[in-house]
């Protein structure tokens, strides 16, 4: 028995190859048994996601991750410092790794994360298997930070949604790879680059876009329906404004106090809210590039990028 409602049912759904959306501290994930190829394939179908995008395998603790992947000492040190938490570590798969190759998009590497949300941890402990989970939204759309966002974006295609309240960090995990002897920041996220560099004692290489195996390959990502205009201090009357700090016009301000942690937590939910007002364009205030501002600007730039036609 577990102390959160529906965990036992969620385990049954996952064991039988179904999809469970679950809360993490970053965003909601769309989970499947990572060792079941057909279940993993259902994730791609539900998201309408291009197949070349590899998924993160979520596990209950670092020791489980250390069995699935080959962790060099520096990767172990990061894991021990930042797990459970919004950090994803990409390493070579271990020889006995049972995770579906489809989850790794055919790569010899694997992305691993121990989330800190108590409901996610309860689920992972109860199932005792890695759970592959991208963010629980249609591909290219804004990431979900509440169960309602998941329902709206994926509705019918998910078998069960575990509601754990609004996601606390509100921004996906930071993805760091330890491949070919280099330590590379593949995606800025919930843990700021500076915190990682401090622990590593070295600077993180920034991935060239050609080596990114993920949303970096897709110019447009995280996109709301409305168009986006960035670094705007004075919105046009036809725009709905997403403010920050001193720049505030109208009801939406990512952080009136100019706090980047608060802004990260509010980013996706306010994009959802602003988008729902029906304006053709959302104008966004300038966000300083330091700390979590790096990840916030990364998401905003992708959300503002020219859209592929199917969006
Ligand atoms: O916070 C998060 O990371 C959320 C929650 C649900 O855990 N998940 C998430 O998953 O954002 P997704 O699929 O939207 O993003 C996974 C990221 C992508 O940037 C992908 O390219 C990268 O992880 N990734 C996964 N496996 C990889 C691999 N083998 N090599 C390089 N990058 C990988
Ligand atoms: Mg995503």
């Amino acid at each position: 028995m577990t102390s959160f409602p529906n965990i036992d049912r969620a385990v049954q759904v996952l064991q039988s190859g179904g999809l469970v959306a679950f809360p993490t501290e970053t965003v909601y994930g769309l989970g499947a048994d990572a060792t079941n190829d057909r279940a993993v394939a259902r994730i791609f179908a539900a998201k309408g996601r291009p197949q070349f995008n590899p998924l993160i395998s979520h596990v209950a603790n670092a020791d489980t991750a250390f069995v699935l992947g080959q962790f060099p000492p520096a990767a172990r040190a990061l894991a021990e410092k930042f797990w459970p938490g919004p950090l994803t570590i990409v390493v070579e798969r271990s020889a006995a790794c049972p995770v579906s190759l489809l989850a790794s998009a055919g790569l010899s590497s694997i992305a691993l994360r121990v989330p800190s949300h108590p409901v996610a941890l309860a689920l992972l402990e109860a199932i005792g298997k890695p759970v592959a989970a991208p963010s629980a939204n249609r591909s290219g759309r804004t990431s979900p930070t509440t169960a309602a966002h998941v329902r709206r974006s994926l509705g019918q295609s998910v078998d069960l949604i575990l509601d754990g309240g609004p996601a606390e960090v509100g921004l996906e995990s930071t993805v760091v790879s330890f491949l070919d002897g280099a330590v590379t920041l593949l995606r800025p996220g919930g843990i700021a680059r500076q915190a990682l560099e401090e622990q590593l004692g070295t600077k993180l290489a920034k991935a060239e876009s050609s080596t990114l195996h993920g949303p970096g390959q897709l110019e447009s990502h995280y996109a709301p329906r409305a168009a986006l205009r960035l670094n705007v201090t004075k919105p046009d009357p036809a725009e709905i404004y997403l403010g920050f700090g001193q720049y505030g016009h109208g009801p939406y301000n990512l952080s009136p106090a100019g706090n980047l942690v608060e802004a990260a937590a509010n980013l996706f939910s306010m994009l959802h809210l602003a988008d729902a007002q029906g304006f053709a364009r959302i104008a966004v205030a300038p966000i300083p590039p330091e700390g979590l501002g790096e990840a916030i600007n990364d998401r905003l730039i992708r959300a503002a990028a020219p859209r592929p036609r199917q969006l």
Side-chain angles (χ1 to χ4, degrees):
M1 287 302 282
T2 42
S3 51
F4 292 103
N6 287 332
I7 296 285
D8 297 336
R9 222 182 112 215
V11 169
Q12 282 166 15
V13 170
L14 292 174
Q15 292 286 21
S16 58
L19 300 183
V20 174
F22 63 98
T24 82
E25 75 281 19
T26 58
V27 299
Y28 274 69
L30 178 63
D33 174 355
T35 66
N36 178 336
D37 286 317
R38 291 189 61 137
V40 172
R42 287 194 58 203
I43 293 180
F44 291 110
K47 281 189 64 97
R49 161 176 274 205
Q51 299 272 334
F52 49 73
N53 251 356
L55 306 176
I56 298 169
S57 290
H58 297 73
V59 291
N61 52 59
D63 285 339
T64 306
F66 296 162
V67 174
L68 298 173
Q70 302 174 39
F71 281 68
R76 262 175 200 262
L78 274 200
E80 271 152 16
K81 167 97 180 160
F82 293 103
W83 281 349
L87 174 69
T88 294
I89 297 179
V90 177
V91 291
E92 287 296 327
R93 294 163 70 105
S94 63
C97 179
V99 169
S100 157
L101 275 174
L102 187 58
S104 292
L107 301 168
S108 60
S109 55
I110 182 165
L112 290 154
R113 171 160 119 80
V114 179
S116 68
H117 195 293
V119 172
L121 283 175
L123 176 65
L124 294 168
E125 266 156 29
I127 189 168
K129 281 182 179 184
V131 171
S135 50
N137 53 280
R138 298 269 315 162
S139 189
R141 290 296 181 191
T142 311
S143 297
T145 55
T146 65
H149 293 158
V150 178
R151 214 165 284 123
R152 209 180 305 148
S153 188
L154 293 173
Q156 305 305 315
S157 41
V158 44
D159 299 306
L160 178 66
I161 301 175
L162 294 176
D163 190 343
E168 187 190 320
V169 179
L171 198 64
E172 294 91 339
S173 60
T174 302
V175 182
V176 176
S177 90
F178 288 83
L179 300 176
D180 309 319
V183 191
T184 310
L185 180 66
L186 293 182
R187 179 179 72 182
I191 292 180
R193 164 203 291 274
Q194 293 88 327
L196 297 172
E197 290 179 339
E198 207 167 283
Q199 173 68 26
L200 288 163
T202 58
K203 294 271 171 209
L204 282 165
K206 173 104 188 165
E208 293 163 35
S209 55
S210 62
T211 63
L212 261 184
H213 308 284
Q217 292 174 330
L218 301 168
E219 277 289 278
S220 168
H221 207 78
Y222 307 103
R225 276 172 206 287
L228 240 72
R229 193 160 72 93
L230 306 184
N231 295 311
V232 177
T233 53
K234 262 202 203 143
D236 298 337
E239 293 172 330
I240 179 112
Y241 193 64
L242 196 55
F244 176 81
Q246 59 170 308
Y247 300 111
H249 305 272
Y252 304 117
N253 192 318
L254 291 169
S255 170
N259 178 318
L260 289 164
V261 175
E262 184 186 20
N266 286 332
L267 178 65
F268 291 130
S269 56
M270 282 200 182
L271 276 174
H272 279 286
L273 279 173
D275 204 21
Q277 306 309 307
F279 286 77
R281 202 159 62 211
I282 302 170
V284 187
I287 311 290
E290 68 262 11
L292 290 192
E294 183 178 8
I296 296 171
N297 279 301
D298 171 82
R299 303 303 188 277
L300 286 171
I301 288 164
R302 288 179 203 279
R307 315 280 167 82
R309 242 194 311 161
Q310 76 268 24
L311 292 180

